[in-house]
């Protein structure tokens, strides 16, 4: 019986903690989406950005439309050649988004002599890279922020072992 009481006390504490953390998460606002990865790229002479568009298997995509913008406006469009390469001219250092064939990337462009040693020589876009994979995770996160759902999961996790333990206690004694 002591075991049963301590299990209920532990369960009640777990429900209280989960409801409190859920309320705190709601008070802070919804989880912010993941920040995009920003890749440093060194511009070629005269502000030329070189890049390539490939499919998920790494094969180049010929004839893909490529767009570049600075967050305020579209700065230009280009088409990839037979090897998937494209180029934009007249760019300055700064943050740019490049979109092509269901793929996009954020690039911090650097003038040739100011680029850090880790900067890439060109931009690589993978077509289909932006597809939503694992789409259930955001929905699961939404459900798990609901205190009723969390409480139900915890209550079930407590009630099932308690019911099993209670059932084991009610077995008839074996007579010798």
């Amino acid at each position: 019986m002591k075991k049963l009481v301590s299990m209920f006390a532990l369960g009640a504490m777990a429900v209280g903690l989960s409801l409190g953390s859920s309320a705190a998460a709601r008070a802070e606002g919804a989880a912010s989406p993941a920040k995009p990865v920003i890749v440093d790229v060194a511009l070629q002479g005269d502000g030329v950005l070189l890049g390539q568009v490939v499919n998920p298997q790494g094969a180049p995509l010929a004839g893909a439309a490529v767009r570049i913008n600075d967050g305020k406006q579209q700065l230009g469009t280009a088409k990839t050649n037979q090897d998937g390469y494209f180029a934009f001219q007249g760019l300055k250092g700064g943050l740019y988004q490049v979109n092509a064939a269901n793929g996009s990337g954020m690039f911090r462009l650097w003038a040739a002599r100011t680029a850090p040693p880790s900067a890439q020589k060109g931009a690589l876009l993978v077509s289909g890279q932006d597809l939503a994979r694992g789409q259930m995770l955001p929905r699961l996160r939404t459900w798990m922020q609901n205190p009723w759902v969390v409480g139900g999961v915890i209550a079930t996790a407590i009630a099932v072992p308690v019911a099993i333990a209670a059932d084991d206690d009610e077995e008839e004694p074996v007579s010798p």
Side-chain angles (χ1 to χ4, degrees):
M1 185 67 173
K2 277 186 173 180
K3 189 186 233 183
L4 186 63
V5 170
S6 64
M7 285 179 66
F8 274 121
L10 183 63
M13 196 165 51
V15 170
L17 288 174
S18 70
L19 292 177
S21 66
S22 179
R26 279 194 319 280
E28 292 175 8
S32 62
K35 293 182 180 178
V37 174
I38 299 174
V39 178
D40 289 322
V41 176
L43 292 169
Q44 306 300 311
D46 296 331
V48 175
L49 170 65
L50 299 176
Q52 186 180 28
V53 180
V54 298
N55 67 17
Q57 291 74 33
L61 288 179
V66 183
R67 295 170 307 284
I68 186 167
N69 68 63
D70 64 358
K72 298 175 190 169
Q73 63 182 349
Q74 184 170 315
L75 301 176
T77 60
K79 278 210 180 253
T80 59
N81 67 10
Q82 69 274 7
D83 296 320
Y85 289 104
F86 64 88
F88 290 105
Q89 298 178 0
L91 298 173
K92 296 179 181 177
L95 191 61
Y96 295 87
Q97 182 175 16
V98 182
N99 302 302
N102 294 326
S104 67
M106 294 293 293
F107 299 95
R108 183 178 301 117
L109 305 183
W110 297 83
R113 293 190 179 139
T114 63
S118 62
Q120 306 293 316
K121 296 190 184 297
L124 178 66
L125 293 173
V126 180
S127 172
Q129 169 179 319
D130 293 339
L131 294 176
R133 294 188 170 98
Q135 294 174 359
M136 186 176 153
L137 187 58
R139 285 187 269 166
L140 179 63
R141 185 178 303 133
T142 301
W143 275 96
M144 292 309 291
Q145 289 177 346
N146 183 332
W148 291 103
V149 172
V150 173
V153 168
I154 292 173
T156 302
I158 294 169
V160 169
V162 168
I164 291 171
D167 186 46
D168 289 344
D169 292 342
E170 294 175 4
E171 290 182 14
E172 295 180 21
V174 178
S175 54

